[in-house]
Every structure is written in structure tokens, then in C-alpha cells.
Amino acid sequence: MAGLQSEAWKMRPYVWAAGIFLLLTVFSTETESVAVMSIDIGSEWVKVAIVKPGVPMEIVLNKESRRKTPVAVSLKENERLFGDNALGMAVKNPKVTFRYFQDLLGKRGENPQVEAFKTRFPDYQVVKDDRRGTVLFKLSDELLYSPEELLGMMLNYSRSLAEEFAEQPVKDAVITVPVFFNQAERRAVLQAAKLTGLKVLQLINDNTAVALNYGVFRRKDINATAQNIMFYDMGARSTVCTIVTYQTVKTKDSGTQPQLQIRGVGFDRTLGGLEIDMRLRDHLAKLFNGQNKSKKDVRENPRAMAKLLKEANRVKTILSANNDHMAQIEGLMDDIDFKSKVTRQDLEDLCPDLFLRVAAPVQQALSIAEMNMDEIDQVILVGGATRVPKVQELLLKAVKKEELGKNINADEAAAMGAVYQAAALSKAFKVKPFIVRDAALYPIQVEFTREVDEENQIKSLKHNKRILFQRMAPYPQRKVITFNRYTDDFEFNINYGDLSFLGPEDLQVFGSLNLTTVNLNGVGQSFQKRSDYESKGIKAHFNMDESGLLSLDRVEAVFETTVDEKPEQESTLTKLGNTISSLFGGGSSTPESNATDTVQEDEEGPNEATKDEEQESPEPAGEQQGTGSKSEEEKQEGKKEGEKSEDQDAKQKEESGKGDSAKTPEEEPKKPLTPKKQKIVDDIEALQTVNDVQDLLEDEMKTSTKKLQDLTDRDIAKHELEKAANSLEAFIFETQDKLEQREYVKVSTKAEREEVSSKLSQVSNWLEDNGYAATTKELKEKLSELKKLCKSLFFKVEERRKWPDRLSALDSLLNHSSIFLKSARMIPEDDQIFTEVELTTLEKLINDTWVWKNETQAEQNKLSPTEKPVLLSKDIEQKLGALDREVHYLLNKAKFSKPKPKKKPSNATKSEDDKNSTESSEKIISPTEESTDKPSEQEPVKEPPTAEEKSEIPELGDSEADSSTQKSPEASEDNHKTEL
């Protein structure tokens, strides 16, 4: 039995693994991969997090085992580098290493931010895309790369890190974007992801991801009382201040759940750590020029300035914890070393205007949220630049708090929050709900022009504006705008609303305020075709999805007409069904309420938001939206109330008596027939023209995708070539070393070793002379030849290494099997559970195995060590497996077999008085009593019951109680011994 328990314990991991496999099979029926990831791509660093079965929310390490990777892409002629390797190339060749290209996403060539980028990084050759109006990086006349393509390279590299960590393909991702990204910038990120084949589950604002990460790990602290938390995030390029409210809310589907709501956001696009680095870089350049070690100006040397920028970033980081530090660079320019002391005060004196802007985002966020600092419970720091002591000092004064919260990981919070959202959106994982109510930072409105009649019968044009999404409107959300005054084809524009809250510089950087022009075709035809119907207007359905992107789903022309219907005669079965339904309170299911907001186009109405807009509510994801009118909703509510009252009446009737519980349909009073309204919906063609930044055309997408795929294939081929060369070189060195080891010398002849050594030297010389030009196929073929030559040598060594463990295991199993067989033979015939055939089979197997082992070992001992062995490890494993299966078969049979009933044994130790009393009692006991005693003797002997167990023993009859009390302790003890 011990063997069985040990075997069952060994099987537990396999059972567990099988359960996991079944679980994953259920979840991964539609998708090949179940892992999901998040990509937090900032201006300087990218962090990748992953969720896969068995690995909940973990940051992915890069190839240097670091938790974050520099956002840098180096594009040489035949080589592409990422991360730290690209940064190293930036010092040598800054023209081919691209950084901070996210500033150019969704920007036209004339944008001020593009001009600032050119000024800051003069090494890049930035040209204009004639069709789209955006910019391109030019490496040569043939090599042009857009910011979307560079971002796609970084996203694809991030995915490769995630796949290497997950050991499976990963396609689903949540990507973070700055909260101030507009529609064009968000579309550019999605296009970059599409170029690499990534499936973007959501674009999540980085401040929202941070807030989600904070809330997820403090779920127990969130209750019905609102908690207002301010997150201050200063990164490399921008600063964002966010006010978030946490509290629990009641949901329709999952009960009470925690929720975060974005209440206020303030930001500064250009306030960040990079600006501090640039000023410190220029300061170091000035110090170097002041040392007069070179006649050249260091600022005219791109490589030297790249070295100074890298050193400036290092010095800034160290000055966050120290008052001074020595900046030093070997061979800065013309083999001249640079060394100079920099103090924290020097750094602060370089950036007084920057530090004055620290408090502005806080005031903006408070103003939007309509709060003051007394309502803020805590201020938490996020982002690497918040480590600068002066920033913390000024922020502490601005928020008027005793201290600043530093209880979250400033670098990884966004990535961890985004990957939690990725797991929630994925079908492969089930996470605890956490409601996220994000807010749209920029208002969006619909503008249209219509002819109106004046008093003197003169027609004039009137320009109308309708707010579609207000500033800080929650999303995802759907909206419907109804145009009631149009009977022919017309057009309307989708534009940004009032952006006066942005400063003049931010407005220039923002770009075009016009999003889309929509031309509707088919309106006039629809009205001509439905001339007999009443028009309910032209309804345009808009959707702002989870990524904050606005789209026009569809446009419909809605008509209604009144239809008179004759009452249909109900059949007997229908009447019977209605009667049964009323008895049991059955009723038709009511449709779900429409969560879509409607915005009516009314000539007399004001140009501001309507009441419906003010009471806007986000529609749950996946919920279908209706276009029913108000009268239909009232009808639905009336139906619900009617059903409720019918159910209550049915219950009252059931209480009064079953006989009067329901009336037949004939007894119910007939209601007057009401005319039924029939709704007709015609789809209207909507041609959309993008006005801000043109998206990539289909042909351009294919060209860019192929360009990136060719680069990826080239990288893979290069990696395979390097891997093949390293494998061949490693095999040569390892085998040359093995030829001198004792165990290899023992099993080989001198001629064999010389042959192998000669071949190794030959291939090694070839690798040194021609290896740089060899293909992957040639390298693999050379390695295959060497392995084939050394196969016999390695086989003999491996077999001798395996012999001791395998033979020891076989001896042990043979001994234990023999003991088991001997014990099974000693079982009495009455209790025997094994058949003679089974025992004979086991005995024969044991004997045959002993004979095989002894004969094979004897034969092996006769052979020379250099000859091919006859005692093989695979044969030993086969014998072990056969014997182990046979023994476990018998053990399992013993485990599940039932003991045979035993005959009543005669007790030879009883005294003559006991015998007489027993004989007399046997004569007195009736046959029925004797039959009841036998089963008790067949049961195995039990220990005397404890006090608690005695209370559970059922009471016996009088005769049984009397007979049990007549037994003496000696007799019961003798019987116990006999049973054993």
C-alpha cells in the first residue's frame, strides 16, 4: 500500500497539469495564444508587462535583464538595433539613431512642435510627406521612415520581448498614450500597431492606467465614501496632474464594485526631464569650451553633443540624491577628456522658468474638477522627473500637504495598470471587476448649415452647433443626433468644441480643429419613397470607444406610420396557454432600456448642450443601442407596470383559493383597440472626409507593413546566422576538450581520436578563414558533419554514465518484487486475492529479468571498452517499465479487492464452564437470533468506542442487550485474538 501511495503522489503533478491543460483548452478555443500584454511607451522608456496562465501581472525583462528599455531605434545599412544597443550607436552615429519621435505623431510639417524637434535634434533629416502633410525621416533617397513606422518597430520589439518571456505568441495588447493626445495622435498609434500585426484591445490614457493600478492593489480600502487622490506625473517630455475619485458603486450585473472616475486633468506638454537634460547638456558644453582644450566648438560636433546629453542625464539622476557630482567623459572630442564639477544649485539655476511651471497643472486639474486642495486626500508622485528635489519642494508648496505620497512604483505603475485592463478585456482571463470611468479631455461638436425663412420671405443660411461630447465627458459612450429639418441630401462637420482652456502655444501644437466632413447621400430618395410616412428625422449614431476615438457608426432615416390591425381569433391552445401563464405569473420579457443619449436638432433651441446632453451616461460595452422614440419608451414602461400588476393580482388570487385563481379569457373585459405604429428605417450613405491628418491609404499600409516585415526577417536571419556560428564554434572547443578527458580516452582508440581531432581542426580553420561569409545553411551542415563523426564516441560515454543508476534501480525493483511475490504466496488460501496465473506471470517475469541482466552483464564484461556496448540503457529502462507495470497491477488489485467472509472459528482456549454456558446458550438462542449474530462476527474488529462514539451507537433490543451483557471480558478477548 505504501507503494501505491507513493505512486499516487507522483501522479499528482500530472493530474494538475492535465487540469490546467483542460482549462486552457476551454479558454483558447478561438485564439492560439492566451497571454496578453501591455506596452507603456513613453518618450524615453518603454515598459512591457504580461499576464499569462501561472504568471499574474509581471514586468517583462529585456535581453539585458532590465525592467525598462530605452525608446531608441538605430537603422544602419544592414543592421537594426533597439534599446541600449541603439543608445550606444547614438554616440557613434547619431544620424541613424531615432529618439523622441512620438512628438511627431499626428503632426503636420508646419506644426510648432515639429519645428522645435528639428531645432533640438539637428542631426535628423526631416522632410515633408507631400500627400499627408506629415513628416518623414530621410536616411537616403530610397530609405524614408515615418514616425508611425518607427513606433511600429518599437512595438514589435516590445512584443518580441513579451513572447520570449511568455514562451508563446502574443498578439493582444493594451497600449498607453498621453491623456492629451487628440484624435489624430491616437489614430497614428493605432496605425503603428496595425503595421506590426498587433491587436490593440484598448488605448488607455497613462494617467488612467496609473490610477487603475493604484486602485486594484487597494481594493479593500475603497468603500462608499469617496476618496479623492491626486496623481502628479512628470515624465521625460510632459507633466500631467490627475484627480481621481475612488468609491464603490452598485452595478446591475455584478453587485457592488469599486470604481475610479477621472474628475480633473491638467497638463503641460513640454515640461519634463528632457528639457532639464538639454539645458544641462548645453551647460556642460559651455564648460568644455571654457576650458580651452580645443580650438573647435563642441556644439558643432554631433557625436560630442550626443555624449554630453547622455552624461547630462546621468548627472541629473545622481544630483537627485547628492549635492554635487563630477561630470566626466573620456575622449569627448579630438581625444580630449572632459571633467567638471556640477552642483545641485547649478542645475536649479539653469531651470528657474521650468520650475515655475510645476504648479500650473495642479491648478488646472482643481479647476476642471471644481475642487480645492482640502478635498484632496493624498498627492502621489509618478514619473521619473518627480525625483528632482526642487520639483518635490515646489509641488509640496502648491498642494499644501505635509508630505507627498511615494507608495507606488513611479516607473511601472502605468504598465501594471494597463496589463490588468488587458486581462479584463481578454476572454482568456477572469479578473475582479473594477469600473473605470475615463473622461474625454477635448469637447467635440457637430456643425451644420441650413436655410431658414425670414420675415420678408427671404431665405438665409443659419449655422448651427450641437455639442456631441462635452469636456470631461465619460467614455465609452454612444450618442445620437437627430436632424429634423432636412428632406434632401446635406452635409455636416464634426469639429472640436471650445478649446479656450488651452494656451496659445498649446492651441498651435494641437493642430486642426476640424475633424471630419460627412456628406449624406440618399436622404432625398428616402423621403420620396416614404412620402406617405411621418418623418422622425435623420439620426446619426456616434460612438466614442474605449480608446477615446470617435467614429460615426451609421446614419438612418426613420419614418413611422399608423397601421390598423384586426383582432385575431385566439385558438383554444393559445387561450389555455394564456391561462396557465397567468396562473404562474408568466409574462413576456421586456426590452432593455436605451442607454444611448440623443441630441435633437431644433431650430428654436439654444446652441448649447440640451438637457439630454447634460444627463449623458456612458453605454456599457457590447450593449446594443436602439433608436426608439420617447413614446415607445413610455409604452415599454407601461408594459412593465402592467406585468407587475398582473403578477400581483395572480398572487392574491392564489392566496384566496385555487378555484378562483384565474379567469378565462372570455371573462376578461375587452380593451379598445389602439392603432399600432410601424417604424421604417432606411440606411443613408455617409461619405467621410478627414480634415485633420490623413490616415495611411491601403496601399501605403501594405508597403509599410512589407518594409517592416523585411527588416524583421533580416533581423531573424542575422540572429539565426549568429546562432549557427556560435553553436559550431562552441561544439569545436567542447569536443577538443573532451578528447583529452579520461572517460573519452577510455572508450576510443588513438586512431579514432586523431580522426576526430583532425576534422575539428579542419572545420575550425575554415570557420576562421571563410566563416564570416558563410551562410546559415553551410554552418549547420558543418555542425551536422561533426556531430555525425562524434556520435559513436559520445554514445559510448553516455551509456557508461547511465549504467550505475539504471542497474541500481533494476536491482532494487527486482528485490522488492521478489519480496512482494513471496508475501503474496504466503497469503492463506481462504484470503487469497491473486490468481495462480497472476503470481506465476510475475514469477516468470522476475526470473527472466534476472537471467537477462546477468547474461547481458557477463557479455558486456567480455567486450573491450572501445567496442559498441551490448548493455544499453534503453533496454534496462524497458525491463524496469515491464516489471513495474506488473507489480503495480497486483498492488492496485489488492487495494480495491474486498475481503472474503470468514467462517466462525472454534475457540480452544475456553474453559469447560464457558463451553457449557456456550452450548446452553446455543440451545436457547432462536434461529432468528443466530442469523443476526453472524454478520457482526464477519465485520472486522473495532476498537472500544470512546465516550463520544458511544452516544452515537444505536440502541439494541432487549434480547441483544441481554446476550451482550452475558459475555465475559475473557471471552471477548479470546474472540478478538481468534479474529486476528
Side-chain angles (χ1 to χ4, degrees):
M1 299 301 291
L4 278 176
Q5 292 177 357
S6 176
E7 189 66 15
W9 179 258
K10 292 179 181 178
M11 289 298 292
R12 285 187 181 182
Y14 300 100
V15 174
W16 176 84
I20 292 296
F21 175 77
L22 291 176
L23 183 65
L24 295 183
T25 303
V26 173
F27 283 131
S28 59
T29 52
E30 297 182 358
T31 58
E32 183 181 2
S33 170
V34 295
V36 294
M37 69 175 178
S38 68
I39 304 176
D40 176 26
I41 185 161
S43 297
E44 278 190 352
W45 302 95
V46 58
K47 282 80 67 177
V48 182
I50 195 170
V51 171
K52 74 169 187 175
V55 182
M57 297 178 62
E58 179 61 46
I59 293 293
V60 174
L61 302 181
N62 60 17
K63 296 180 180 179
E64 291 79 23
S65 298
R66 300 178 63 187
R67 298 175 71 86
K68 60 181 182 180
T69 303
V71 179
V73 182
S74 179
L75 297 172
K76 295 178 64 178
E77 294 181 358
N78 297 318
E79 189 177 21
R80 186 172 61 160
L81 303 175
F82 295 95
D84 293 307
N85 294 331
L87 286 184
M89 183 58 63
V91 177
K92 301 176 182 178
N93 192 355
K95 294 183 179 180
V96 299
T97 303
F98 302 99
R99 302 182 67 191
Y100 306 106
F101 46 80
Q102 300 95 313
D103 293 346
L104 307 181
L105 291 172
K107 300 288 190 300
R108 293 180 175 270
E110 61 273 11
N111 193 292
Q113 193 159 341
V114 176
E115 297 298 328
F117 183 88
K118 293 180 181 179
T119 304
R120 181 169 291 163
F121 304 105
D123 303 327
Y124 301 140
Q125 188 176 357
V126 181
V127 298
K128 188 175 181 179
D129 186 342
D130 295 332
R131 191 193 72 81
R132 300 178 63 205
T134 55
V135 295
L136 299 170
F137 290 98
K138 184 177 180 180
L139 290 178
S140 64
D141 294 338
E142 294 80 16
L143 294 178
L144 297 171
Y145 294 98
S146 65
E148 290 88 349
E149 291 173 340
L150 294 177
L151 179 59
M153 296 179 194
M154 279 305 306
L155 294 176
N156 193 42
Y157 177 73
S158 301
R159 179 174 64 176
S160 68
L161 295 177
E163 290 179 342
E164 185 176 351
F165 182 84
E167 298 177 347
Q168 60 178 288
V170 182
K171 292 185 178 180
D172 298 344
V174 169
I175 304 175
T176 66
V177 294
V179 64
F180 49 77
F181 263 24
N182 57 27
Q183 296 289 308
E185 292 167 311
R186 292 174 186 268
R187 293 201 309 269
V189 175
L190 287 180
Q191 289 173 359
K194 187 177 181 180
L195 291 177
T196 62
L198 269 178
K199 179 183 178 183
V200 180
L201 300 177
Q202 179 182 347
L203 294 180
I204 187 170
N205 295 331
D206 47 14
N207 62 335
T208 305
V210 170
L212 178 58
N213 176 69
Y214 179 86
V216 164
F217 289 100
R218 290 161 182 81
R219 176 185 292 267
K220 295 181 180 179
D221 299 333
I222 301 175
N223 49 43
T225 304
Q227 304 177 39
N228 300 318
I229 307 296
M230 175 181 288
F231 296 94
Y232 190 87
D233 181 4
M234 180 180 286
R237 288 290 293 118
S238 61
T239 299
V240 176
C241 180
T242 310
I243 298 176
V244 183
T245 298
Y246 295 94
Q247 65 183 131
T248 55
V249 296
K250 292 183 179 179
T251 61
K252 184 177 180 181
D253 299 329
S254 53
T256 303
Q257 298 295 341
Q259 170 188 276
L260 73 85
Q261 181 178 1
I262 306 297
R263 300 290 301 278
V265 177
F267 65 90
D268 190 329
R269 274 182 178 261
T270 58
L271 177 61
L274 176 62
E275 189 63 32
I276 300 176
D277 293 346
M278 300 297 291
R279 296 192 180 191
L280 184 55
R281 180 200 66 174
D282 295 339
H283 176 69
L284 296 178
K286 184 178 179 180
L287 291 177
F288 179 79
N289 288 335
Q291 294 176 358
N292 297 321
K293 293 183 178 181
S294 175
K295 296 180 180 180
K296 299 179 182 178
D297 188 353
V298 69
R299 289 173 292 188
E300 296 178 359
N301 190 317
R303 294 182 60 181
M305 293 301 288
K307 293 179 181 180
L308 286 174
L309 180 60
K310 183 178 180 181
E311 180 66 11
N313 181 269
R314 188 186 70 86
V315 171
K316 181 196 70 174
T317 303
I318 295 177
L319 289 179
S320 298
N322 300 274
N323 290 324
D324 56 69
H325 185 66
M326 192 65 67
Q328 51 187 355
I329 303 175
E330 294 183 2
L332 175 60
M333 185 176 66
D334 297 336
D335 295 330
I336 301 175
D337 297 339
F338 169 67
K339 187 175 183 180
S340 180
K341 184 179 180 180
V342 181
T343 65
R344 182 185 295 177
Q345 187 61 43
D346 294 337
L347 179 63
E348 294 176 357
D349 293 340
L350 293 172
C351 313
D353 56 325
L354 298 181
F355 294 137
L356 290 177
R357 293 157 57 185
V358 168
V362 175
Q363 302 303 324
Q364 293 176 19
L366 290 172
S367 176
I368 295 175
E370 298 180 351
M371 292 182 179
N372 54 53
M373 284 306 305
D374 295 335
E375 300 176 68
I376 304 300
D377 297 318
Q378 191 178 10
V379 179
I380 297 177
L381 297 180
V382 188
T386 57
R387 298 186 177 98
V388 177
K390 190 64 175 179
V391 172
Q392 297 184 14
E393 177 188 341
L394 296 174
L395 182 60
L396 200 58
K397 292 180 180 179
V399 300
K400 300 176 183 179
K401 296 290 184 181
E402 295 181 358
E403 62 179 357
L404 301 174
K406 303 175 184 178
N407 49 357
I408 65 173
N409 191 319
D411 291 327
E412 301 174 0
M416 297 297 283
V419 80
Y420 186 90
Q421 184 71 358
L425 296 174
S426 173
K427 298 179 180 179
F429 302 95
K430 184 177 182 181
V431 299
K432 293 182 178 180
F434 202 109
I435 303 171
V436 179
R437 295 196 67 190
D438 211 334
L441 201 56
Y442 307 117
I444 296 178
Q445 62 187 13
V446 172
E447 300 182 21
F448 53 94
T449 302
R450 186 179 65 247
E451 288 186 351
V452 294
D453 295 332
E454 301 290 344
E455 296 180 355
N456 299 328
Q457 297 181 353
I458 299 176
K459 293 185 177 181
S460 62
L461 296 178
K462 181 180 179 181
H463 189 71
N464 297 273
K465 297 181 180 180
R466 295 292 179 266
I467 299 295
L468 189 61
F469 292 97
Q470 295 184 1
R471 184 185 179 191
M472 301 304 293
Y475 70 86
Q477 187 179 179
R478 297 178 184 271
K479 286 289 188 71
V480 177
I481 281 190
T482 303
F483 300 93
N484 294 317
R485 307 283 180 174
Y486 287 98
T487 58
D488 205 349
D489 297 350
F490 66 99
E491 72 173 26
F492 61 88
N493 296 303
I494 306 171
N495 303 326
Y496 289 105
D498 182 16
L499 299 180
S500 59
F501 59 90
L502 296 177
E505 295 182 359
D506 288 335
L507 269 177
Q508 292 179 356
V509 172
F510 189 84
S512 174
L513 302 182
N514 302 320
L515 288 172
T516 309
T517 298
V518 181
N519 289 277
L520 301 183
N521 296 327
V523 176
Q525 296 177 0
S526 180
F527 271 84
Q528 292 176 3
K529 186 170 58 175
R530 311 293 181 188
S531 58
D532 297 337
Y533 290 75
E534 177 186 0
S535 173
K536 291 298 180 179
I538 309 300
K539 296 183 181 293
H541 296 258
F542 296 90
N543 175 34
M544 182 172 285
D545 60 15
E546 293 85 353
S547 299
L549 278 170
L550 179 66
S551 61
L552 176 62
D553 287 347
R554 64 187 185 279
V555 180
E556 301 171 337
V558 182
F559 301 90
E560 277 189 0
T561 186
T562 303
V563 180
D564 295 332
E565 291 188 350
K566 295 182 180 180
E568 297 181 357
Q569 297 294 330
E570 292 184 331
S571 64
T572 305
L573 290 177
T574 304
K575 295 178 181 179
L576 180 59
N578 293 335
T579 304
I580 295 175
S581 299
S582 63
L583 286 173
F584 291 96
S588 61
S589 60
T590 58
E592 295 181 0
S593 61
N594 183 15
T596 304
D597 290 348
T598 58
V599 182
Q600 295 291 335
E601 180 266 313
D602 190 3
E603 183 180 2
E604 290 78 11
N607 291 340
E608 301 298 331
T610 62
K611 294 182 179 179
D612 291 335
E613 294 171 1
E614 295 174 359
Q615 299 177 354
E616 57 192 12
S617 60
E619 180 182 2
E623 181 177 350
Q624 294 182 352
Q625 86 160 42
T627 57
S629 62
K630 186 176 181 181
S631 60
E632 291 178 345
E633 294 179 358
E634 292 175 353
K635 288 179 182 180
Q636 294 174 359
E637 294 177 358
K639 289 181 181 180
K640 293 180 180 178
E641 294 176 357
E643 290 172 359
K644 291 181 180 178
S645 61
E646 289 176 4
D647 293 343
Q648 293 174 358
D649 293 342
K651 292 180 180 178
Q652 294 176 359
K653 291 176 182 178
E654 287 180 356
E655 292 176 358
S656 61
K658 294 183 179 178
D660 301 331
S661 61
K663 294 182 180 181
T664 60
E666 290 82 4
E667 295 175 349
E668 295 180 357
K670 295 184 179 180
K671 297 181 181 180
L673 296 176
T674 57
K676 182 180 179 181
K677 290 187 176 181
Q678 182 181 6
K679 184 170 67 174
I680 302 296
V681 177
D682 291 338
D683 292 332
I684 303 299
E685 181 185 7
L687 301 178
Q688 303 183 46
T689 303
V690 178
N691 297 326
D692 51 358
V693 177
Q694 296 293 324
D695 294 336
L696 292 171
L697 299 176
E698 185 176 354
D699 292 341
E700 294 173 335
M701 288 289 295
K702 291 181 179 179
T703 302
S704 296
T705 301
K706 185 178 184 303
K707 185 193 303 184
L708 297 189
Q709 187 60 45
D710 291 342
L711 290 174
T712 302
D713 294 341
R714 189 185 69 181
D715 293 343
I716 294 175
K718 181 185 176 184
H719 176 72
E720 292 294 328
L721 180 63
E722 293 175 351
K723 184 179 178 181
N726 293 335
S727 299
L728 179 59
E729 188 176 8
F731 184 84
I732 292 173
F733 288 134
E734 290 176 2
T735 307
Q736 287 175 341
D737 181 63
K738 289 177 180 179
L739 291 178
E740 299 178 0
Q741 297 177 10
R742 180 178 301 176
E743 58 181 346
Y744 288 90
V745 173
K746 182 179 180 180
V747 298
S748 61
T749 63
K750 184 177 180 180
E752 291 174 344
R753 291 193 299 272
E754 289 179 352
E755 180 185 3
V756 173
S757 179
S758 175
K759 186 64 175 178
L760 291 174
S761 300
Q762 179 184 349
V763 175
S764 178
N765 294 333
W766 173 85
L767 188 61
E768 292 178 2
D769 297 337
N770 305 318
Y772 65 93
T775 63
T776 304
K777 182 179 179 181
E778 291 175 340
L779 293 171
K780 290 183 176 181
E781 288 176 352
K782 292 291 183 180
L783 181 60
S784 178
E785 291 176 6
L786 292 180
K787 288 183 176 180
K788 185 177 180 181
L789 179 63
C790 303
K791 181 179 179 180
S792 175
L793 175 62
F794 292 164
F795 175 75
K796 288 183 284 187
V797 174
E798 287 298 320
E799 286 297 318
R800 290 182 173 275
R801 288 177 178 176
K802 294 178 181 179
W803 283 348
D805 293 339
R806 300 295 191 277
L807 291 174
S808 176
L810 184 59
D811 289 339
S812 177
L813 185 57
L814 284 170
N815 292 331
H816 285 86
S817 301
S818 300
I819 295 173
F820 171 75
L821 178 61
K822 184 177 180 181
S823 301
R825 292 284 192 191
M826 295 175 63
I827 298 176
E829 183 178 354
D830 295 340
D831 298 330
Q832 183 61 263
I833 58 177
F834 304 120
T835 65
E836 183 62 26
V837 175
E838 293 170 341
L839 296 178
T840 304
T841 302
L842 177 60
E843 183 178 12
K844 183 177 184 303
L845 184 59
I846 293 174
N847 294 334
D848 292 347
T849 305
W850 275 114
V851 171
W852 174 86
K853 174 180 174 294
N854 295 332
E855 291 180 352
T856 308
Q857 276 189 297
E859 186 178 355
Q860 179 62 45
N861 293 334
K862 296 177 183 179
L863 297 177
S864 170
T866 59
E867 295 182 285
K868 184 178 180 180
V870 294
L871 179 63
L872 303 178
S873 58
K874 65 176 184 179
D875 295 337
I876 302 175
E877 293 171 358
Q878 183 180 1
K879 298 294 182 181
L880 278 168
L883 188 57
D884 185 70
R885 285 192 299 271
E886 189 65 28
V887 173
H888 276 80
Y889 166 75
L890 298 179
L891 285 174
N892 288 331
K893 184 177 181 180
K895 179 180 179 180
F896 297 106
S897 63
K898 296 181 180 180
K900 297 179 180 180
K902 299 180 180 179
K903 298 180 180 180
K904 184 177 180 181
S906 59
N907 194 345
T909 60
K910 288 185 178 181
S911 61
E912 292 297 330
D913 296 337
D914 293 336
K915 290 181 180 179
N916 295 334
S917 61
T918 304
E919 290 175 358
S920 61
S921 62
E922 288 176 356
K923 294 178 181 178
I924 295 172
I925 292 176
S926 62
T928 56
E929 292 174 339
E930 184 178 358
S931 63
T932 56
D933 289 339
K934 288 182 180 179
S936 62
E937 295 176 357
Q938 296 173 1
E939 296 178 355
V941 178
K942 299 181 180 179
E943 296 180 1
T946 61
E948 296 178 356
E949 295 174 342
K950 288 180 180 178
S951 61
E952 298 177 358
I953 297 176
E955 295 182 1
L956 301 176
D958 294 338
S959 60
E960 293 180 355
D962 294 340
S963 62
S964 63
T965 56
Q966 291 175 1
K967 294 183 179 180
S968 61
E970 294 81 358
S972 61
E973 183 177 355
D974 293 339
N975 288 333
H976 179 66
K977 293 179 180 179
T978 307
E979 291 284 346
L980 290 176

